[in-house]
Amino acid sequence: MRSFFAIIIVGLCFVLALIFGARNEQVVTISYFIAEGEFRLPIVLAVVFLSGFVISWLFASFYILRMKMKLRKAEKQLDKIQDNQQQIAIEEKTA
């Protein structure tokens, strides 16, 4: 449910950026390392917002994947410890 709200908020921010850009039809000059280009402001805003979103999503996905792998490893260790405790309990009952 939380991810649904996050997607809605990101979508609203994107729409607001497009509306802002549509009302500002100015041409801006972007200087690269080697060259320069002139682009309309809505295009620049959309590209910057989208690239920031994609980069953030990649970092978040990497972090979530890493946490899931740690959780899986911890659950396996917990299962192993619980199995050992059950075997010890069974051996104590039979002894």
PDB file of all heavy atoms in Angstrom, residues 19-44:
ATOM      1  N   ILE A  19       3.332  20.501 -16.151  1.00  0.00           N
ATOM      2  CA  ILE A  19       2.495  21.700 -16.202  1.00  0.00           C
ATOM      3  C   ILE A  19       3.360  22.948 -16.086  1.00  0.00           C
ATOM      4  O   ILE A  19       3.183  23.919 -16.822  1.00  0.00           O
ATOM      5  CB  ILE A  19       1.416  21.664 -15.100  1.00  0.00           C
ATOM      6  CG1 ILE A  19       0.384  20.578 -15.413  1.00  0.00           C
ATOM      7  CG2 ILE A  19       0.732  23.019 -14.956  1.00  0.00           C
ATOM      8  CD1 ILE A  19      -0.587  20.308 -14.290  1.00  0.00           C
ATOM      9  N   PHE A  20       4.303  22.918 -15.148  1.00  0.00           N
ATOM     10  CA  PHE A  20       5.221  24.048 -14.990  1.00  0.00           C
ATOM     11  C   PHE A  20       5.995  24.284 -16.279  1.00  0.00           C
ATOM     12  O   PHE A  20       6.153  25.419 -16.721  1.00  0.00           O
ATOM     13  CB  PHE A  20       6.184  23.770 -13.832  1.00  0.00           C
ATOM     14  CG  PHE A  20       7.225  24.831 -13.656  1.00  0.00           C
ATOM     15  CD1 PHE A  20       6.898  26.050 -13.081  1.00  0.00           C
ATOM     16  CD2 PHE A  20       8.525  24.623 -14.068  1.00  0.00           C
ATOM     17  CE1 PHE A  20       7.854  27.034 -12.924  1.00  0.00           C
ATOM     18  CE2 PHE A  20       9.486  25.595 -13.912  1.00  0.00           C
ATOM     19  CZ  PHE A  20       9.146  26.814 -13.335  1.00  0.00           C
ATOM     20  N   GLY A  21       6.464  23.222 -16.875  1.00  0.00           N
ATOM     21  CA  GLY A  21       7.222  23.348 -18.117  1.00  0.00           C
ATOM     22  C   GLY A  21       6.367  23.810 -19.273  1.00  0.00           C
ATOM     23  O   GLY A  21       6.821  24.587 -20.117  1.00  0.00           O
ATOM     24  N   ALA A  22       5.115  23.362 -19.315  1.00  0.00           N
ATOM     25  CA  ALA A  22       4.237  23.757 -20.409  1.00  0.00           C
ATOM     26  C   ALA A  22       3.913  25.249 -20.345  1.00  0.00           C
ATOM     27  O   ALA A  22       3.703  25.889 -21.371  1.00  0.00           O
ATOM     28  CB  ALA A  22       2.953  22.941 -20.376  1.00  0.00           C
ATOM     29  N   ARG A  23       3.894  25.787 -19.153  1.00  0.00           N
ATOM     30  CA  ARG A  23       3.613  27.218 -19.002  1.00  0.00           C
ATOM     31  C   ARG A  23       4.859  28.057 -19.251  1.00  0.00           C
ATOM     32  O   ARG A  23       4.777  29.269 -19.338  1.00  0.00           O
ATOM     33  CB  ARG A  23       3.052  27.499 -17.621  1.00  0.00           C
ATOM     34  CG  ARG A  23       1.709  26.793 -17.427  1.00  0.00           C
ATOM     35  CD  ARG A  23       0.883  27.373 -16.360  1.00  0.00           C
ATOM     36  NE  ARG A  23       0.901  28.815 -16.296  1.00  0.00           N
ATOM     37  CZ  ARG A  23      -0.107  29.605 -16.583  1.00  0.00           C
ATOM     38  NH1 ARG A  23      -1.212  29.077 -17.027  1.00  0.00           N
ATOM     39  NH2 ARG A  23      -0.015  30.908 -16.442  1.00  0.00           N
ATOM     40  N   ASN A  24       6.010  27.421 -19.314  1.00  0.00           N
ATOM     41  CA  ASN A  24       7.271  28.119 -19.555  1.00  0.00           C
ATOM     42  C   ASN A  24       7.908  27.552 -20.820  1.00  0.00           C
ATOM     43  O   ASN A  24       8.772  26.699 -20.751  1.00  0.00           O
ATOM     44  CB  ASN A  24       8.219  27.942 -18.363  1.00  0.00           C
ATOM     45  CG  ASN A  24       7.692  28.596 -17.120  1.00  0.00           C
ATOM     46  OD1 ASN A  24       7.484  29.793 -17.095  1.00  0.00           O
ATOM     47  ND2 ASN A  24       7.439  27.799 -16.098  1.00  0.00           N
ATOM     48  N   GLU A  25       7.475  28.028 -21.936  1.00  0.00           N
ATOM     49  CA  GLU A  25       7.946  27.525 -23.226  1.00  0.00           C
ATOM     50  C   GLU A  25       9.270  28.156 -23.652  1.00  0.00           C
ATOM     51  O   GLU A  25       9.520  28.351 -24.826  1.00  0.00           O
ATOM     52  CB  GLU A  25       6.893  27.767 -24.305  1.00  0.00           C
ATOM     53  CG  GLU A  25       5.714  26.834 -24.205  1.00  0.00           C
ATOM     54  CD  GLU A  25       6.054  25.414 -24.581  1.00  0.00           C
ATOM     55  OE1 GLU A  25       6.912  25.186 -25.449  1.00  0.00           O
ATOM     56  OE2 GLU A  25       5.458  24.502 -23.986  1.00  0.00           O
ATOM     57  N   GLN A  26      10.098  28.454 -22.705  1.00  0.00           N
ATOM     58  CA  GLN A  26      11.363  29.090 -23.031  1.00  0.00           C
ATOM     59  C   GLN A  26      12.360  28.066 -23.554  1.00  0.00           C
ATOM     60  O   GLN A  26      12.272  26.879 -23.249  1.00  0.00           O
ATOM     61  CB  GLN A  26      11.945  29.763 -21.792  1.00  0.00           C
ATOM     62  CG  GLN A  26      11.054  30.828 -21.221  1.00  0.00           C
ATOM     63  CD  GLN A  26      11.510  31.262 -19.850  1.00  0.00           C
ATOM     64  OE1 GLN A  26      12.278  30.574 -19.213  1.00  0.00           O
ATOM     65  NE2 GLN A  26      11.019  32.417 -19.427  1.00  0.00           N
ATOM     66  N   VAL A  27      13.309  28.548 -24.308  1.00  0.00           N
ATOM     67  CA  VAL A  27      14.395  27.716 -24.791  1.00  0.00           C
ATOM     68  C   VAL A  27      15.589  27.959 -23.870  1.00  0.00           C
ATOM     69  O   VAL A  27      15.951  29.106 -23.603  1.00  0.00           O
ATOM     70  CB  VAL A  27      14.756  28.050 -26.257  1.00  0.00           C
ATOM     71  CG1 VAL A  27      15.967  27.256 -26.703  1.00  0.00           C
ATOM     72  CG2 VAL A  27      13.564  27.775 -27.156  1.00  0.00           C
ATOM     73  N   VAL A  28      16.137  26.880 -23.348  1.00  0.00           N
ATOM     74  CA  VAL A  28      17.292  27.000 -22.455  1.00  0.00           C
ATOM     75  C   VAL A  28      18.510  26.387 -23.128  1.00  0.00           C
ATOM     76  O   VAL A  28      18.396  25.473 -23.944  1.00  0.00           O
ATOM     77  CB  VAL A  28      17.032  26.314 -21.093  1.00  0.00           C
ATOM     78  CG1 VAL A  28      15.953  27.039 -20.328  1.00  0.00           C
ATOM     79  CG2 VAL A  28      16.663  24.864 -21.266  1.00  0.00           C
ATOM     80  N   THR A  29      19.668  26.904 -22.772  1.00  0.00           N
ATOM     81  CA  THR A  29      20.917  26.397 -23.324  1.00  0.00           C
ATOM     82  C   THR A  29      21.559  25.473 -22.309  1.00  0.00           C
ATOM     83  O   THR A  29      21.778  25.858 -21.160  1.00  0.00           O
ATOM     84  CB  THR A  29      21.873  27.558 -23.656  1.00  0.00           C
ATOM     85  OG1 THR A  29      21.220  28.431 -24.575  1.00  0.00           O
ATOM     86  CG2 THR A  29      23.154  27.034 -24.267  1.00  0.00           C
ATOM     87  N   ILE A  30      21.854  24.256 -22.717  1.00  0.00           N
ATOM     88  CA  ILE A  30      22.501  23.262 -21.867  1.00  0.00           C
ATOM     89  C   ILE A  30      23.926  23.100 -22.375  1.00  0.00           C
ATOM     90  O   ILE A  30      24.144  22.797 -23.540  1.00  0.00           O
ATOM     91  CB  ILE A  30      21.773  21.903 -21.922  1.00  0.00           C
ATOM     92  CG1 ILE A  30      20.294  22.052 -21.612  1.00  0.00           C
ATOM     93  CG2 ILE A  30      22.443  20.893 -21.021  1.00  0.00           C
ATOM     94  CD1 ILE A  30      19.967  22.291 -20.177  1.00  0.00           C
ATOM     95  N   SER A  31      24.879  23.291 -21.493  1.00  0.00           N
ATOM     96  CA  SER A  31      26.289  23.137 -21.869  1.00  0.00           C
ATOM     97  C   SER A  31      26.778  21.769 -21.415  1.00  0.00           C
ATOM     98  O   SER A  31      26.707  21.430 -20.242  1.00  0.00           O
ATOM     99  CB  SER A  31      27.137  24.222 -21.213  1.00  0.00           C
ATOM    100  OG  SER A  31      26.768  25.483 -21.682  1.00  0.00           O
ATOM    101  N   TYR A  32      27.258  20.978 -22.366  1.00  0.00           N
ATOM    102  CA  TYR A  32      27.853  19.691 -22.069  1.00  0.00           C
ATOM    103  C   TYR A  32      29.350  19.894 -21.885  1.00  0.00           C
ATOM    104  O   TYR A  32      29.847  21.022 -21.946  1.00  0.00           O
ATOM    105  CB  TYR A  32      27.608  18.707 -23.220  1.00  0.00           C
ATOM    106  CG  TYR A  32      26.150  18.513 -23.523  1.00  0.00           C
ATOM    107  CD1 TYR A  32      25.564  19.104 -24.643  1.00  0.00           C
ATOM    108  CD2 TYR A  32      25.355  17.749 -22.704  1.00  0.00           C
ATOM    109  CE1 TYR A  32      24.227  18.932 -24.926  1.00  0.00           C
ATOM    110  CE2 TYR A  32      24.014  17.571 -22.978  1.00  0.00           C
ATOM    111  CZ  TYR A  32      23.461  18.162 -24.087  1.00  0.00           C
ATOM    112  OH  TYR A  32      22.143  17.994 -24.358  1.00  0.00           O
ATOM    113  N   PHE A  33      30.064  18.815 -21.693  1.00  0.00           N
ATOM    114  CA  PHE A  33      31.518  18.921 -21.569  1.00  0.00           C
ATOM    115  C   PHE A  33      32.147  19.440 -22.859  1.00  0.00           C
ATOM    116  O   PHE A  33      33.057  20.241 -22.844  1.00  0.00           O
ATOM    117  CB  PHE A  33      32.132  17.568 -21.205  1.00  0.00           C
ATOM    118  CG  PHE A  33      31.750  17.108 -19.841  1.00  0.00           C
ATOM    119  CD1 PHE A  33      30.928  16.008 -19.669  1.00  0.00           C
ATOM    120  CD2 PHE A  33      32.207  17.766 -18.717  1.00  0.00           C
ATOM    121  CE1 PHE A  33      30.564  15.582 -18.411  1.00  0.00           C
ATOM    122  CE2 PHE A  33      31.854  17.347 -17.456  1.00  0.00           C
ATOM    123  CZ  PHE A  33      31.036  16.250 -17.295  1.00  0.00           C
ATOM    124  N   ILE A  34      31.629  18.978 -23.977  1.00  0.00           N
ATOM    125  CA  ILE A  34      32.231  19.324 -25.259  1.00  0.00           C
ATOM    126  C   ILE A  34      31.356  20.295 -26.052  1.00  0.00           C
ATOM    127  O   ILE A  34      31.854  21.194 -26.704  1.00  0.00           O
ATOM    128  CB  ILE A  34      32.477  18.046 -26.095  1.00  0.00           C
ATOM    129  CG1 ILE A  34      33.433  17.129 -25.349  1.00  0.00           C
ATOM    130  CG2 ILE A  34      33.010  18.381 -27.464  1.00  0.00           C
ATOM    131  CD1 ILE A  34      33.592  15.772 -25.993  1.00  0.00           C
ATOM    132  N   ALA A  35      30.052  20.119 -25.999  1.00  0.00           N
ATOM    133  CA  ALA A  35      29.161  20.879 -26.875  1.00  0.00           C
ATOM    134  C   ALA A  35      28.100  21.616 -26.060  1.00  0.00           C
ATOM    135  O   ALA A  35      28.058  21.539 -24.839  1.00  0.00           O
ATOM    136  CB  ALA A  35      28.500  19.927 -27.858  1.00  0.00           C
ATOM    137  N   GLU A  36      27.257  22.302 -26.781  1.00  0.00           N
ATOM    138  CA  GLU A  36      26.131  23.033 -26.218  1.00  0.00           C
ATOM    139  C   GLU A  36      24.893  22.696 -27.016  1.00  0.00           C
ATOM    140  O   GLU A  36      24.963  22.407 -28.201  1.00  0.00           O
ATOM    141  CB  GLU A  36      26.385  24.545 -26.332  1.00  0.00           C
ATOM    142  CG  GLU A  36      26.711  25.206 -25.054  1.00  0.00           C
ATOM    143  CD  GLU A  36      26.898  26.712 -25.237  1.00  0.00           C
ATOM    144  OE1 GLU A  36      26.224  27.323 -26.091  1.00  0.00           O
ATOM    145  OE2 GLU A  36      27.734  27.251 -24.518  1.00  0.00           O
ATOM    146  N   GLY A  37      23.752  22.719 -26.339  1.00  0.00           N
ATOM    147  CA  GLY A  37      22.509  22.466 -27.050  1.00  0.00           C
ATOM    148  C   GLY A  37      21.410  23.356 -26.521  1.00  0.00           C
ATOM    149  O   GLY A  37      21.421  23.728 -25.357  1.00  0.00           O
ATOM    150  N   GLU A  38      20.449  23.675 -27.343  1.00  0.00           N
ATOM    151  CA  GLU A  38      19.304  24.461 -26.935  1.00  0.00           C
ATOM    152  C   GLU A  38      18.069  23.571 -26.965  1.00  0.00           C
ATOM    153  O   GLU A  38      17.775  22.935 -27.975  1.00  0.00           O
ATOM    154  CB  GLU A  38      19.126  25.661 -27.862  1.00  0.00           C
ATOM    155  CG  GLU A  38      20.217  26.692 -27.703  1.00  0.00           C
ATOM    156  CD  GLU A  38      19.934  27.951 -28.497  1.00  0.00           C
ATOM    157  OE1 GLU A  38      18.879  28.020 -29.162  1.00  0.00           O
ATOM    158  OE2 GLU A  38      20.770  28.860 -28.437  1.00  0.00           O
ATOM    159  N   PHE A  39      17.387  23.528 -25.827  1.00  0.00           N
ATOM    160  CA  PHE A  39      16.220  22.672 -25.673  1.00  0.00           C
ATOM    161  C   PHE A  39      15.098  23.473 -25.035  1.00  0.00           C
ATOM    162  O   PHE A  39      15.335  24.454 -24.335  1.00  0.00           O
ATOM    163  CB  PHE A  39      16.542  21.461 -24.786  1.00  0.00           C
ATOM    164  CG  PHE A  39      17.682  20.637 -25.291  1.00  0.00           C
ATOM    165  CD1 PHE A  39      18.956  20.785 -24.776  1.00  0.00           C
ATOM    166  CD2 PHE A  39      17.472  19.701 -26.283  1.00  0.00           C
ATOM    167  CE1 PHE A  39      20.006  20.032 -25.239  1.00  0.00           C
ATOM    168  CE2 PHE A  39      18.522  18.927 -26.754  1.00  0.00           C
ATOM    169  CZ  PHE A  39      19.789  19.093 -26.233  1.00  0.00           C
ATOM    170  N   ARG A  40      13.866  22.996 -25.248  1.00  0.00           N
ATOM    171  CA  ARG A  40      12.723  23.634 -24.593  1.00  0.00           C
ATOM    172  C   ARG A  40      12.713  23.214 -23.124  1.00  0.00           C
ATOM    173  O   ARG A  40      13.096  22.099 -22.772  1.00  0.00           O
ATOM    174  CB  ARG A  40      11.426  23.228 -25.269  1.00  0.00           C
ATOM    175  CG  ARG A  40      11.291  23.826 -26.655  1.00  0.00           C
ATOM    176  CD  ARG A  40       9.950  23.564 -27.298  1.00  0.00           C
ATOM    177  NE  ARG A  40       9.487  22.200 -27.099  1.00  0.00           N
ATOM    178  CZ  ARG A  40       8.243  21.884 -26.776  1.00  0.00           C
ATOM    179  NH1 ARG A  40       7.341  22.817 -26.629  1.00  0.00           N
ATOM    180  NH2 ARG A  40       7.894  20.623 -26.613  1.00  0.00           N
ATOM    181  N   LEU A  41      12.275  24.113 -22.263  1.00  0.00           N
ATOM    182  CA  LEU A  41      12.283  23.877 -20.822  1.00  0.00           C
ATOM    183  C   LEU A  41      11.467  22.650 -20.405  1.00  0.00           C
ATOM    184  O   LEU A  41      11.925  21.881 -19.560  1.00  0.00           O
ATOM    185  CB  LEU A  41      11.802  25.130 -20.086  1.00  0.00           C
ATOM    186  CG  LEU A  41      11.884  25.101 -18.572  1.00  0.00           C
ATOM    187  CD1 LEU A  41      13.318  24.886 -18.117  1.00  0.00           C
ATOM    188  CD2 LEU A  41      11.323  26.380 -17.985  1.00  0.00           C
ATOM    189  N   PRO A  42      10.271  22.394 -20.964  1.00  0.00           N
ATOM    190  CA  PRO A  42       9.529  21.196 -20.548  1.00  0.00           C
ATOM    191  C   PRO A  42      10.288  19.896 -20.815  1.00  0.00           C
ATOM    192  O   PRO A  42      10.241  18.969 -20.013  1.00  0.00           O
ATOM    193  CB  PRO A  42       8.244  21.241 -21.382  1.00  0.00           C
ATOM    194  CG  PRO A  42       8.118  22.635 -21.846  1.00  0.00           C
ATOM    195  CD  PRO A  42       9.489  23.208 -21.893  1.00  0.00           C
ATOM    196  N   ILE A  43      11.013  19.852 -21.913  1.00  0.00           N
ATOM    197  CA  ILE A  43      11.776  18.645 -22.244  1.00  0.00           C
ATOM    198  C   ILE A  43      12.897  18.450 -21.227  1.00  0.00           C
ATOM    199  O   ILE A  43      13.119  17.340 -20.738  1.00  0.00           O
ATOM    200  CB  ILE A  43      12.346  18.740 -23.683  1.00  0.00           C
ATOM    201  CG1 ILE A  43      11.233  18.933 -24.705  1.00  0.00           C
ATOM    202  CG2 ILE A  43      13.202  17.538 -24.008  1.00  0.00           C
ATOM    203  CD1 ILE A  43      10.264  17.792 -24.779  1.00  0.00           C
ATOM    204  N   VAL A  44      13.591  19.529 -20.905  1.00  0.00           N
ATOM    205  CA  VAL A  44      14.691  19.450 -19.938  1.00  0.00           C
ATOM    206  C   VAL A  44      14.171  19.002 -18.577  1.00  0.00           C
ATOM    207  O   VAL A  44      14.745  18.115 -17.935  1.00  0.00           O
ATOM    208  CB  VAL A  44      15.434  20.796 -19.834  1.00  0.00           C
ATOM    209  CG1 VAL A  44      16.453  20.769 -18.720  1.00  0.00           C
ATOM    210  CG2 VAL A  44      16.089  21.152 -21.152  1.00  0.00           C
TER     211      VAL A  44
END
